[in-house]
Amino acid sequence: MASTALGTDADALVKSADPKHPANLICSLCRQFYGHGWVTGTGGGVSIRHDKHIFLAPSGVEKELMQPDNIFVMDYASREYIRRPLVGHCSTGSQWAVLVTLLCEAGMQGGKDVFEISQIEQIKGISRGGTGSTEIAEGGRKLGNLGYFDTMRIPIIENTAHEEDLKDSLEKAMVEWPETCAVLVRRHGVYVWGKDVTQAKTQAESLDYLFQLAVEMHKLGLKWT
């Protein structure tokens, strides 16, 4: 795959036999997420920060067929791309995430600009501030995670015509909601992060479960909080 880059060794950044190398791991995760129905068509994506670089899946390619050559690489400090394959850009999506943003927008559950749910066991898998803690409290609960009686709140921002234009509103939401590990984008999907790839993946799975559950609860006339 041809690429444009600021450095002559940019293609070497996505070449490795290690299955846990970010370029290989992104491809593996996208294949798994395709099986969940999260990255159908050419939508959806994953990004991983590794040392001084951020590795990003592209849009515009079939995620179940994606190869390391398709990966973008960004310099973490400057936020400039140092490797650009000749394909689209990074994005993410979930039909359940889209539906809860529409229910909130219509005023059918909670506020227009935040998804809230409480007293559901799965929220105990969601960390505060995206990173949580590995320290275990009495009873086995991770100290940095939400508890059963907490209310999980995920901010909702408006979509834009081009994904790169979400940058300012995403950053604003992350500042205004420091305990969140995700941001919903109305009529688009959800961005999820964690302290490492494993936590980001498990939180994405937990959130998708909660979004689907919320839609089914709404069908039955049940409140989320």
Side-chain angles (χ1 to χ4, degrees):
M1 172 72 69
S3 66
T4 60
L6 299 177
T8 57
D9 295 329
D11 285 341
L13 292 171
V14 298
K15 305 292 185 184
S16 175
D18 182 358
K20 293 191 178 296
H21 182 278
N24 296 326
L25 191 53
I26 285 174
C27 295
S28 174
L29 288 170
C30 281
R31 285 191 288 272
Q32 293 181 52
F33 291 171
Y34 177 81
H36 290 318
W38 296 352
V39 292
T40 53
T42 60
V46 176
S47 64
I48 297 174
R49 179 187 170 188
H50 180 69
D51 295 332
K52 298 179 180 180
H53 301 121
I54 302 174
F55 294 77
L56 305 101
S59 185
V61 300
E62 297 168 286
K63 295 305 186 296
E64 75 276 21
L65 302 177
M66 196 170 64
Q67 299 297 319
D69 279 346
N70 301 131
I71 301 297
F72 284 81
V73 183
M74 177 184 285
D75 178 76
Y76 179 75
S78 67
R79 296 299 198 271
E80 293 182 352
Y81 286 105
I82 56 178
R83 184 180 190 275
R84 290 177 178 267
L86 299 180
V87 290
H89 57 275
C90 176
S91 64
T92 183
S94 159
Q95 62 177 321
W96 304 112
V98 172
L99 285 169
V100 297
T101 69
L102 296 178
L103 289 171
C104 291
E105 181 181 39
M108 295 180 176
Q109 292 272 2
K112 175 175 179 288
D113 298 321
V114 60
F115 168 73
E116 298 179 291
I117 193 166
S118 65
Q119 297 188 42
I120 299 295
E121 183 69 11
Q122 198 74 10
I123 70 172
K124 290 160 66 175
I126 303 300
S127 64
R128 302 177 190 274
T131 57
S133 169
T134 58
E135 188 175 353
I136 305 299
E138 184 178 353
R141 183 174 67 87
K142 290 184 178 178
L143 288 177
N145 283 24
L146 295 172
Y148 174 76
F149 292 106
D150 291 327
T151 298
M152 185 189 77
R153 296 181 175 88
I154 307 294
I156 303 171
I157 62 174
E158 299 301 327
N159 199 12
T160 57
H162 303 287
E163 193 164 7
E164 57 267 30
D165 295 334
L166 289 169
K167 175 179 178 293
D168 290 344
S169 55
L170 275 170
E171 291 180 348
K172 183 173 183 288
M174 293 169 74
V175 170
E176 292 180 349
W177 299 82
E179 284 205 344
T180 191
C181 69
V183 174
L184 284 156
V185 182
R186 202 178 321 274
R187 300 173 182 267
H188 179 139
V190 60
Y191 287 84
V192 186
W193 57 90
K195 66 177 181 291
D196 53 31
V197 176
T198 299
Q199 188 187 57
K201 175 179 179 291
T202 56
Q203 292 193 144
E205 292 169 343
S206 294
L207 286 169
D208 199 63
Y209 169 90
L210 289 164
F211 296 150
Q212 182 177 2
L213 181 67
V215 172
E216 297 299 333
M217 288 173 65
H218 181 75
K219 290 179 183 178
L220 296 172
L222 302 173
K223 294 296 184 182
W224 297 341
T225 59

